[in-house]
């Protein structure tokens, strides 16, 4: 069995492993991977997200168990120190030796630190690893304790520098971006697009300093106190983050005599082979075509080529590498493709610019106006995928190319059909998935829907920028095969949720049978359509789950969450997480009285487990007598609005997060929606309430609240997007009213706000037009509908215990008042739990 050693366990090193184990021939090899960092590979592209949740696990490409399951030996926290090419061995810093048949170098790059006087001072950091970020967080906390108005600068206004600027903001420091060039992102943007980006970033609080050459780092006693650009040009700062570029980690290759470039990087050919045919180099260490490619997609391609070459397949790296990219910088779309800068002699540039909305779009076309050569998008990159495909595949463009970038109201964007793309068109650059592969899995019967396509091809699992196009291709292919792409609720209705919403609202239906008899396909309904109609009637008429309990999901039917042994959990509402000692004692006494297992939930409420069906009304009555009401933990409705302690107690608090959180929770309690909803209110940008992980979240800043929309946890966590800044309480409520009602009107069944918002045509920009600018003229209607729901709120538990007819459903048996004697509990840490299933 031959041995392959992979030195470097970053994103590209991991991708080599993933592509390698996917090949059946890999069973003939032993694979050993060395990582210098103390953890498995993680997503460095999304490194800035660590500041929001400080959860390194969330960034993992795969857990350590994945390597073991795939027969890979993963050695972390151990640096490879030397290569002996003659004997084909490597030696680690711990003086351990390993032999190889093939060696793959994936050591990546390190941060470039300019030779500036004083750069060694304490408080100067690079922005590269999780350990770097942990050091920055600790230092930021230290300087803020001394000076609440501490400042931090970022040296470098490129992609990573702007991400670092956002990180500085998240740490509660006054952010300053210092760039040597006269514009931001000098490699990707032209002057005008850079100006638009600068205006947007300044509007959200970043201070931009351009054309600044740093002469020295100032400081006393070894600590940084400022940056000096000239005799009388000084910027006082308490911390500095250096993000001025990268240097290939090529020292292993250089020391072992491999050919390296003049400016660094190990020279490779189109097989990813170095000057030693047994050694390959991939990622940011590889010098290919005299270039280091700093994007992840070329690195992934290199990993695939190296795998194929080692296994005897003759695939080669293409001669030219597409450096097109789309990303979201601090909530701002930025994209460039093809030739973003182009001499006038080669073609024409068409520009659309709207500085008031921070929008800039530029396309470059050939002199004859028939070919798209490249472009730049800032502020709205929703058209990037199709523009990129038109460029890559030389597709025909409109007679008036301006139609490609004009807004819909100004001539309309004019694209071809997604099915016009050639089969070899690369749809997902991260995973190198073509249109032909996506359509092929459907045509072969291997995939029957979008989820199958993603599982089969991995398209959309990288940066996610291709997801809309993958969905369009999937649906278009299914339709071309004569397969109906159903958007209906179920077989009983040839209608989707939005259609049913409008029908129930206009016709004023009050029962499920009215809807089914007038608009259904016969039958009695099913477990799909009944809860949907029940939810819609609740959303429209403010009906509680008690109205037609027979059509509800089981949890809504019994106003409690059923657990694995047939008992139920009870969760009373604790608005904003604030609770008096009296109520805390009452909860303890009730739990003790009914012998319930108690737990504080992730939504800062107290959950009472182990209640039998007949006990539910008794427990509810005791809770109601002590001032509690239903927490709707069982419903597709508002669960909680999580709060920190805010300015009431916290020395960092900028506003009363608890008071406002309670107000919001009491306002939206009980409203039925397509999926459960959660909110969060943080009193400062330290974000202790995790507001950006909620469907709606607020963070207190100078001048009001920043409102974030469309976040959630669950199986596919997503951070909420910044929607509005520095708004007052009244405006917050107005915007959330409109947002939630629009979501309730238009989302699919069981679709969370994050997925709904992501798939909404126009995305966040469209939401701002509808909610803030009232583009559709429905803002007042949405507010009135929400107010109606707020005014009609009733506690479902109170309804149930006051109605003898409703109480009949809380018996274990319809023909007897006996209890279920099959329930068995076992001890668990001074409480109890259901006996495990055998």
């Amino acid at each position: 069995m031959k041995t392959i050693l992979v030195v470097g366990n970053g994103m590209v090193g991991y991708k080599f492993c993933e592509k390698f184990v996917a090949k059946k021939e890999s069973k003939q090899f032993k694979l050993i991977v060395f990582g210098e960092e103390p953890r498995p590979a993680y997503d460095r592209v999304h490194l800035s997200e660590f500041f929001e949740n400080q959860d390194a696990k969330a960034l993992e490409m795969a857990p350590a168990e994945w390597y073991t399951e795939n027969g890979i030996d993963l050695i972390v926290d151990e640096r490879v120190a030397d290569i002996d090419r003659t004997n084909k061995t490597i030696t680690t810093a711990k003086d351990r030796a390993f032999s190889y048949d093939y060696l793959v170098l994936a050591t990546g790059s390190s941060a470039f630190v300019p030779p500036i006087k004083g750069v060694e001072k304490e408080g100067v950091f690079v922005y590269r690893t999780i350990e770097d970020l942990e050091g920055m967080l600790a230092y930021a906390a230290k300087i803020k304790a001394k000076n609440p108005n501490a400042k931090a600068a970022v040296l470098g206004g490129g992609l990573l520098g702007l991400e670092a600027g956002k990180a500085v903001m998240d740490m509660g420091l006054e952010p300053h971006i210092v760039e040597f060039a006269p514009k931001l992102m000098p490699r990707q943007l032209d002057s005008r697009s850079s100006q638009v980006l600068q205006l947007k970033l300044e509007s959200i609080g970043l201070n931009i300093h351009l054309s600044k050459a740093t002469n020295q780092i100032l400081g006393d006693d070894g600590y940084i106190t400022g940056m000096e650009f000239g005799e009388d040009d000084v910027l006082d700062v308490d911390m500095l983050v250096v993000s001025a570029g990268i240097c290939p980690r090529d020292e292993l290759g250089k020391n072992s005599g491999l050919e390296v470039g003049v400016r660094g990087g190990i020279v490779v050919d189109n097989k990813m082979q170095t000057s030693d045919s047994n050694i390959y180099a991939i990622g940011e260490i590889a010098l290919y075509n005299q270039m280091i490619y700093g994007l992840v997609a070329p690195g992934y391609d290199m990993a695939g080529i190296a795998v194929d070459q080692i296994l005897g397949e003759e695939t080669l790296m293409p001669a030219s590498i597409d450096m097109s990219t789309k990303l979201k910088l601090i909530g701002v779309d930025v994209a460039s493709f093809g030739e973003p800068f182009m001499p006038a002699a080669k073609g024409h540039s068409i520009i659309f610019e709207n500085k008031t909305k921070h929008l800039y779009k530029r396309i470059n076309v050939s002199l004859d106006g028939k070919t798209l050569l490249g472009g730049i998008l800032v502020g709205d990159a929703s058209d990037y995928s199709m523009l990129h495909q038109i460029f890559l595949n030389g597709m025909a463009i409109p007679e008036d190319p301006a139609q490609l970038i004009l807004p819909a109201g100004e001539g309309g964007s004019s694209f071809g059909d997604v099915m016009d793309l050639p089969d070899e068109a690369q749809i997902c650059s991260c995973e190198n998935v073509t249109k032909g592969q996506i359509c092929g899995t459907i045509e072969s019967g291997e995939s029957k829907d979008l989820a199958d396509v993603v599982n089969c091809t991995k398209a959309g699992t990288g940066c996610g920028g291709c997801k809309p196009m993958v969905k369009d291709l999937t649906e278009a292919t299914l339709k071309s095969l004569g397969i109906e792409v159903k958007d209906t609720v179920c077989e009983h209705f040839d209608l989707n949720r939005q259609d049913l919403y409008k029908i129930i609202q206009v016709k004023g239906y009050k029962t499920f049978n009215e809807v089914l008899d007038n608009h259904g396909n016969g039958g009695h309904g099913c477990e799909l359509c009944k809860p949907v109609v029940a939810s819609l009637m609740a959303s429209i008429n403010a009906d509680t789950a008690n109205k037609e309990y027979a059509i509800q999901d089981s949890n809504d039917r019994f106003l409690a969450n059923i657990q694995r042994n047939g008992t139920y959990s009870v969760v009373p509402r604790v608005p904003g997480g604030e609770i008096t000692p009296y109520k805390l004692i009452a909860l303890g006494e009730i739990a003790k009285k009914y012998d319930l297992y108690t737990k504080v939930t992730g939504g800062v409420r107290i959950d009472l487990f182990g209640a039998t069906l007949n006990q539910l009304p008794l427990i509810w009555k005791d809770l109601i007598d002590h001032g509690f009401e239903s927490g709707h933990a069982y419903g597709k409705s508002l669960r909680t609005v999580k709060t920190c302690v805010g300015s009431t107690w916290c020395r960092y608090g900028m506003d009363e997060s608890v008071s406002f959180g309670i107000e919001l929770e009491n306002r939206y309690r009980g409203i039925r929606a397509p999926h459960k909803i959660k909110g969060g209110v943080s009193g400062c940008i330290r974000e202790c309430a995790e507001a950006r992980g909620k469907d709606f979240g607020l963070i207190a800043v100078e001048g009001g609240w920043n409102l974030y929309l469309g976040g959630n946890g669950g199986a596919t966590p997503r951070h909420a997007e910044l929607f509005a800044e520095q708004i007052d309480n009244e405006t917050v409520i107005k915007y959330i009213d409109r947002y939630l009602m629009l979501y309730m009107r238009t989302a699919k069944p069981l679709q969370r706000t994050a997925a709904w918002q992501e798939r909404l045509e126009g995305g966040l920009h469209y939401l701002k037009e509808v909610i803030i600018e009232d583009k559709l003229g429905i803002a007042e209607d949405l507010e009135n509908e929400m107010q109606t729901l707020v005014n009609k709120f009733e506690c479902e538990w109170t309804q149930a215990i006051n109605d003898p007819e409703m109480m009949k459903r809380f018996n274990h048996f319809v023909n007897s008042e006996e209890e279920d004697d099959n329930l068995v509990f076992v001890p668990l840490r001074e409480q109890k739990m259901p006996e495990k299933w055998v």
Side-chain angles (χ1 to χ4, degrees):
M1 181 177 282
K2 293 186 176 181
T3 300
I4 303 171
L5 303 184
V6 179
V7 182
N9 191 225
M11 296 179 72
V12 173
Y14 164 78
K15 187 56 65 174
F16 176 91
C17 297
E18 183 185 83
K19 288 177 179 284
F20 186 80
V21 298
K23 303 275 190 177
K24 59 183 179 182
E25 300 89 346
S26 65
K27 306 298 181 187
Q28 303 167 22
F29 292 82
K30 176 66 178 176
L31 186 57
I32 306 174
V33 183
F34 297 85
E36 189 172 316
E37 295 184 56
R39 54 176 57 83
Y42 56 88
D43 185 352
R44 208 182 300 274
V45 172
H46 296 98
L47 190 60
S48 61
E49 293 178 10
F50 182 77
F51 286 99
E52 296 164 359
N53 51 38
Q54 295 180 42
D55 182 4
K57 282 281 185 186
L59 292 173
E60 272 187 1
M61 305 288 286
E65 296 77 34
W66 178 87
Y67 296 84
T68 304
E69 290 165 3
N70 286 282
I72 302 171
D73 288 351
L74 174 63
I75 300 172
V76 297
D77 205 15
E78 188 163 355
R79 179 175 59 85
V80 173
D82 183 58
I83 301 171
D84 181 345
R85 290 169 51 200
T86 303
N87 294 308
K88 297 175 72 173
T89 62
I90 62 100
T91 305
T92 72
K94 295 181 180 179
D95 206 26
R96 295 202 294 167
F98 296 81
S99 298
Y100 67 82
D101 293 284
Y102 297 102
L103 179 63
V104 179
L105 300 178
T107 47
S109 61
S110 58
F112 169 65
V113 180
I116 301 169
K117 182 181 177 183
V119 77
E120 74 287 347
K121 293 185 185 298
E122 189 168 351
V124 179
F125 296 86
V126 295
Y127 189 81
R128 197 70 186 156
T129 68
I130 286 177
E131 284 68 36
D132 293 332
L133 272 56
E134 288 174 334
M136 291 164 62
L137 284 165
Y139 195 79
K142 185 168 78 171
I143 60 176
K144 283 195 297 182
K146 297 177 182 177
N147 176 15
N149 300 312
K151 302 176 184 178
V154 176
L155 185 61
L159 295 174
L160 201 59
L162 296 180
E163 285 291 329
K166 171 64 165 56
V168 165
M169 288 182 70
D170 289 343
M171 288 187 289
L173 303 172
E174 182 182 300
H176 293 261
I177 303 290
V178 177
E179 169 58 44
F180 176 77
K183 62 179 182 178
L184 295 173
M185 295 181 63
R187 293 188 177 183
Q188 290 84 15
L189 301 182
D190 58 15
S191 295
R192 293 177 68 167
S193 58
S194 181
Q195 287 172 10
V196 172
L197 178 61
Q198 180 178 345
L199 286 172
K200 176 60 180 177
L201 297 180
E202 287 175 337
S203 75
I204 62 177
L206 263 72
N207 300 283
I208 311 293
H209 308 267
L210 301 175
S211 301
K212 296 290 185 184
T214 308
N215 292 338
Q216 65 173 317
I217 308 299
L218 306 175
D220 300 318
D221 300 323
Y223 294 90
I224 180 175
T225 59
M227 303 170 70
E228 186 253 298
F229 310 114
E231 228 174 277
D232 299 314
D233 192 0
V234 173
L235 175 64
D236 294 330
V237 293
D238 304 282
M239 188 168 93
L240 174 64
V241 181
V242 178
S243 182
I246 59 172
C247 295
R249 290 281 307 274
D250 58 8
E251 58 271 18
L252 275 175
K254 192 179 296 181
N255 294 339
S256 63
L258 293 176
E259 183 183 354
V260 296
V262 176
R263 296 185 179 179
I266 298 175
V267 176
V268 295
D269 59 15
N270 57 2
K271 299 178 181 180
M272 294 297 106
Q273 279 181 325
T274 67
S275 53
D276 184 326
S277 61
N278 295 309
I279 301 178
Y280 295 78
I282 57 177
E284 291 175 344
I285 187 183
L287 185 68
Y288 179 60
N289 290 340
Q290 294 303 306
M291 274 194 66
I292 297 291
Y293 297 92
L295 298 177
V296 71
Y300 284 1
D301 289 343
M302 291 177 181
I305 298 296
V307 166
D308 289 346
Q309 288 294 328
I310 290 173
L311 295 179
E313 298 179 29
E314 284 298 317
T315 54
L316 302 173
M317 198 71 180
S320 61
I321 306 296
D322 179 29
M323 293 297 285
S324 304
T325 184
K326 174 191 172 188
L327 59 156
K328 191 177 283 288
L329 284 169
I330 321 181
V332 184
D333 279 347
V334 178
S336 65
F337 63 96
E339 295 189 56
F341 320 115
M342 194 182 62
K346 191 172 182 180
H348 304 295
S349 294
I350 300 170
I351 294 172
F352 172 81
E353 184 176 27
N354 186 337
K355 287 186 177 179
T356 61
K357 292 188 176 180
H358 305 115
L359 289 176
Y360 178 89
K361 298 183 180 184
R362 166 181 172 168
I363 55 172
N364 303 319
V365 298
S366 58
L367 290 172
D368 61 9
K370 294 183 178 180
T371 306
L372 182 63
L373 302 178
I376 296 171
L377 305 170
V378 173
D380 176 14
S382 56
D383 294 335
Y384 167 79
S385 293
M386 199 63 196
L387 287 170
H388 188 211
Q389 290 298 331
I390 292 171
F391 156 72
L392 285 176
N393 299 288
M395 296 170 64
I397 61 177
E399 188 174 337
D400 178 9
Q403 291 179 359
L404 291 172
I405 55 173
L406 284 175
E410 300 183 37
S413 294
S414 179
F415 293 119
D417 189 275
V418 68
M419 292 299 282
D420 294 338
L421 295 172
D423 283 349
E424 61 271 16
Q426 187 188 61
I427 305 301
C428 176
S429 59
C430 292
E431 295 293 339
N432 193 20
V433 182
T434 65
K435 175 204 168 189
Q437 290 171 302
I438 290 170
C439 299
T441 66
I442 301 168
E443 291 164 350
S444 68
E446 190 177 1
S447 298
K448 295 181 173 57
D449 54 25
L450 179 61
D452 286 347
V453 168
V454 172
N455 286 334
C456 289
T457 66
K458 289 201 165 184
T461 59
C463 70
C466 64
K467 283 181 179 178
M469 187 164 281
V470 175
K471 180 177 182 290
D472 291 343
L473 277 172
T474 300
E475 293 186 353
T477 306
L478 288 170
K479 288 176 182 177
S480 72
L481 295 173
I483 301 171
E484 184 181 357
V485 181
K486 287 194 172 183
D487 189 26
T488 57
V489 170
C490 71
E491 64 186 37
H492 298 102
F493 290 96
D494 293 328
L495 301 162
N496 60 28
R497 184 183 178 278
Q498 296 93 307
D499 295 333
L500 283 172
Y501 189 105
K502 293 169 189 171
I503 288 168
I504 294 169
Q505 188 178 46
V506 172
K507 296 287 188 178
Y509 293 134
K510 303 293 183 183
T511 68
F512 174 76
N513 285 337
E514 285 180 302
V515 182
L516 184 65
D517 292 345
N518 288 287
H519 303 280
N521 298 327
H524 302 287
C526 64
E527 71 278 2
L528 296 176
C529 60
K530 286 180 178 179
V532 170
V533 172
S535 174
L536 288 173
M537 290 193 292
S539 297
I540 295 166
N541 305 320
D543 291 336
T544 68
N546 291 321
K547 178 75 179 292
E548 277 196 284
Y549 74 86
I551 65 171
Q552 305 283 355
D553 280 325
S554 12
N555 287 346
D556 282 280
R557 185 177 305 179
F558 299 113
L559 311 180
N561 281 334
I562 191 168
Q563 303 303 319
R564 67 179 175 89
N565 67 336
T567 60
Y568 294 82
S569 68
V570 177
V571 186
R573 187 169 300 285
V574 180
E578 182 183 83
I579 189 167
T580 64
Y582 166 79
K583 285 190 171 184
L584 268 177
I585 292 169
L587 283 176
E589 292 292 348
I590 293 167
K592 186 177 177 182
K593 177 179 178 180
Y594 295 98
D595 189 22
L596 304 174
Y597 170 91
T598 58
K599 185 185 184 302
V600 177
T601 71
V604 292
R605 302 192 290 189
I606 295 177
D607 208 337
L608 310 174
F609 290 83
T612 57
L613 185 62
N614 62 303
Q615 285 179 328
L616 289 176
L618 304 175
I619 296 169
W620 297 339
K621 185 176 187 315
D622 282 353
L623 288 169
I624 290 165
D625 288 345
H626 286 90
F628 291 99
E629 65 184 25
S630 169
H632 293 91
Y634 45 84
K636 300 294 183 280
S637 55
L638 180 77
R639 296 294 177 85
T640 64
V641 176
K642 187 174 182 178
T643 69
C644 64
V645 295
S647 58
T648 310
W649 292 95
C650 180
R651 68 184 186 277
Y652 297 110
M654 301 185 71
D655 211 325
E656 264 201 284
S657 54
V658 182
S659 299
F660 199 25
I662 292 171
E663 181 181 352
L664 292 173
E665 185 162 346
N666 285 332
R667 178 170 183 79
Y668 301 119
R669 60 188 175 177
I671 60 168
R672 285 307 202 275
H675 208 290
K676 64 184 177 185
I677 304 166
K678 296 181 181 180
V681 185
S682 286
C684 74
I685 58 175
R686 291 163 68 90
E687 246 287 71
C688 293
E690 302 164 338
R692 288 200 60 202
K694 305 294 189 289
D695 298 273
F696 62 86
L698 298 168
I699 300 176
V701 295
E702 286 286 350
W705 299 96
N706 282 357
L707 172 60
Y708 295 83
L709 297 176
N712 67 260
T716 53
R718 184 183 189 276
H719 280 104
E721 297 180 85
L722 179 62
F723 181 75
E725 299 175 78
Q726 297 176 313
I727 55 178
D728 58 20
N729 290 30
E730 183 181 354
T731 306
V732 167
I733 291 173
K734 181 166 61 176
Y735 287 171
I736 296 178
D737 279 1
R738 297 174 182 178
Y739 176 77
L740 291 179
M741 283 309 309
L742 186 65
Y743 163 63
M744 289 154 63
R745 276 187 177 191
T746 61
K748 296 179 181 180
L750 302 180
Q751 187 177 41
R752 300 196 71 161
T753 58
W756 168 74
Q757 188 168 308
E758 186 177 349
R759 290 164 177 76
L760 203 61
E761 190 172 347
L764 195 69
H765 178 66
Y766 172 76
L767 280 177
K768 289 181 179 180
E769 289 182 325
V770 174
I771 292 171
I772 299 176
E773 301 167 21
D774 196 14
K775 173 183 178 179
L776 303 180
I778 61 172
E780 188 176 349
D781 294 335
L782 297 174
E783 290 176 43
N784 291 337
E785 286 179 43
M786 179 58 75
Q787 193 58 51
T788 298
L789 298 180
V790 171
N791 294 342
K792 288 186 175 181
F793 169 76
E794 287 186 77
C795 173
E796 293 170 335
W797 288 352
T798 304
Q799 276 185 337
I801 63 176
N802 289 335
D803 188 325
E805 282 301 310
M806 289 185 193
M807 289 291 287
K808 290 179 181 178
R809 70 178 187 265
F810 296 102
N811 286 330
H812 281 281
F813 309 104
V814 294
N815 59 351
S816 170
E817 293 190 5
E818 291 184 11
E819 293 185 24
D820 184 354
D821 58 5
N822 293 313
L823 299 175
V824 180
F825 296 92
V826 294
L828 175 69
R829 292 183 295 274
E830 300 181 29
Q831 295 199 73
K832 67 178 185 180
M833 63 174 280
E835 185 178 48
K836 291 184 178 179
W837 290 333
V838 178

